[in-house]
Amino acid sequence: MSDLKQELKEKIIEQLNLEDVAIEEIEDSDPLFGDGLGLDSIDALELIVMLDKDYGIKLADPKQGKAIFESVNTMAGYIKEHRSR
């Protein structure tokens, strides 16, 4: 699963244009929103699109994103269980 976590960090940086953030700076358990990477609701929408496009995961309720996007660990766990690609 560490390969998936590494891949997610790369995709988060690329998808959200986080030019000032390096992969090594993102810990697996760091919060992605708030005090962590400081992502916002627009970033959450982009992550939802990424889940659909890259892993075939459609969120029926965008409110699910709050739990899924808590950290790289939670994203990787959700993708591992629900991916279709």
Side-chain angles (χ1 to χ4, degrees):
M1 185 143 91
S2 62
D3 287 344
L4 178 58
K5 291 177 185 176
Q6 184 76 11
E7 178 183 302
L8 280 172
K9 292 174 186 177
E10 292 171 6
K11 287 179 184 277
I12 289 169
I13 290 171
E14 181 183 323
Q15 182 83 22
L16 303 178
N17 265 343
L18 302 176
E19 296 172 354
D20 297 338
V21 178
I23 293 172
E24 302 79 29
E25 295 176 44
I26 305 173
E27 296 294 328
D28 294 347
S29 59
D30 281 351
L32 299 179
F33 293 85
D35 292 337
L37 280 181
L39 303 184
D40 60 24
S41 59
I42 302 296
D43 297 324
L45 293 175
E46 292 200 38
L47 293 177
I48 290 171
V49 171
M50 180 186 78
L51 282 183
D52 183 15
K53 186 179 82 177
D54 296 346
Y55 302 103
I57 297 172
K58 294 186 185 294
L59 296 185
D61 181 359
K63 291 179 184 175
Q64 290 177 289
K66 185 174 182 179
I68 296 167
F69 302 135
E70 186 176 313
S71 68
V72 170
N73 278 334
T74 58
M75 283 184 73
Y78 190 84
I79 290 169
K80 187 177 175 192
E81 289 181 26
H82 298 90
R83 75 187 306 172
S84 64
R85 295 182 196 155

